[in-house]
C-alpha cells in the first residue's frame, strides 16, 4: 500500500460515518469512490433534481438551503445525498460549497454495493439518517 493510500484510508477512518468500518471496508470505499476538489461557491446538488451521487466531506464547509433559505451547515465528516439514492426521489435541498472542499463521491452503483458489502456502513448511515429525522422533528415542534 502506498503512503498516499494509507493517508487516504486514515482520513476516511476519521469520518464519523466510516468510523466503525474495518480497514478492508475503508479500502472498498477508497476503490469505489472518487475524490474531487471543488471551489467555494460551487453548487454540489440542486433542490428538485434527481440525485445520482452521495457525498462525504473530507475537508471544507457547505451550506444547505431549501427554497432559498439556509437550513443547515455541513463540515468535515458530514455526508449528504443518500436520500435520493435510496428512494430515487428528487433532492430535497440545495448544497453549495462555502469554502474550497475535498469530497468523496460515490455514484448509485458504488453506493449500493457499499451498502451490500459493508454492514458497518449501513448501520452508520441509518444512525445518521435517524439523527437528522429527530432534529427535523424537533425543529418542526418549535
Amino acid at each position: 500500500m502506498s503512503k498516499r493510500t494509507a493517508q487516504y484510508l486514515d482520513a476516511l477512518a476519521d469520518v464519523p460515518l466510516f468510523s466503525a468500518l474495518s480497514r478492508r471496508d475503508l479500502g472498498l470505499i477508497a476503490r469505489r469512490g472518487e475524490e474531487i476538489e471543488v471551489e467555494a461557491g460551487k453548487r454540489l446538488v440542486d433542490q428538485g433534481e434527481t440525485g445520482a451521487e452521495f457525498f462525504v466531506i473530507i475537508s471544507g464547509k457547505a451550506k444547505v438551503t431549501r427554497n432559498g433559505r439556509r437550513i443547515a451547515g455541513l463540515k468535515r465528516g458530514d455526508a449528504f445525498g443518500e436520500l435520493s439514492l435510496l428512494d430515487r426521489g428528487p433532492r430535497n435541498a440545495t448544497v453549495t460549497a462555502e469554502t474550497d472542499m475535498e469530497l468523496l463521491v460515490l455514484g448509485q452503483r458504488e453506493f449500493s454495493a457499499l451498502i451490500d458489502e459493508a454492514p458497518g456502513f449501513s448501520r452508520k448511515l441509518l444512525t445518521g439518517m435517524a439523527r437528522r429525522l429527530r432534529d427535523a422533528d424537533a425543529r418542526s415542534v418549535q
Side-chain angles (χ1 to χ4, degrees):
M1 175 184 319
S2 73
K3 182 177 180 180
R4 171 75 176 131
T5 301
Q7 290 173 334
Y8 187 55
L9 292 181
D10 288 344
L12 290 179
D14 288 340
V15 173
L17 181 62
F18 301 146
S19 64
L21 300 184
S22 68
R23 205 74 173 163
R24 179 189 161 281
D25 289 341
L26 292 172
L28 286 173
I29 296 166
R31 283 192 299 282
R32 294 181 194 278
E34 177 184 358
E35 187 177 352
I36 64 167
E37 295 180 8
V38 299
E39 293 182 0
K42 168 101 172 129
R43 274 188 152 170
L44 302 168
V45 301
D46 286 306
Q47 181 179 350
E49 291 190 1
T50 302
E53 301 93 13
F54 168 72
F55 300 85
V56 178
I57 300 174
I58 303 299
S59 69
K61 294 181 180 179
K63 66 179 177 181
V64 182
T65 57
R66 184 175 297 132
N67 302 323
R69 290 188 52 220
R70 183 184 178 104
I71 58 170
L74 301 172
K75 63 187 180 330
R76 182 182 194 277
D78 288 333
F80 60 95
E82 72 279 5
L83 293 179
S84 290
L85 295 185
L86 291 169
D87 70 2
R88 303 209 195 283
R91 302 280 191 192
N92 64 3
T94 296
V95 179
T96 306
E98 289 188 300
T99 65
D100 291 349
M101 300 179 74
E102 286 180 76
L103 301 156
L104 174 72
V105 183
L106 293 165
Q108 176 72 56
R109 186 177 338 155
E110 294 81 13
F111 181 79
S112 294
L114 192 55
I115 287 173
D116 291 341
E117 295 174 20
F121 174 74
S122 299
R123 283 190 298 277
K124 285 283 194 169
L125 185 64
L126 287 170
T127 299
M129 290 173 62
R131 183 176 56 250
R132 287 184 7 210
L133 181 59
R134 283 185 188 278
D135 290 347
D137 187 49
R139 282 193 306 270
S140 72
V141 173
Q142 296 175 354

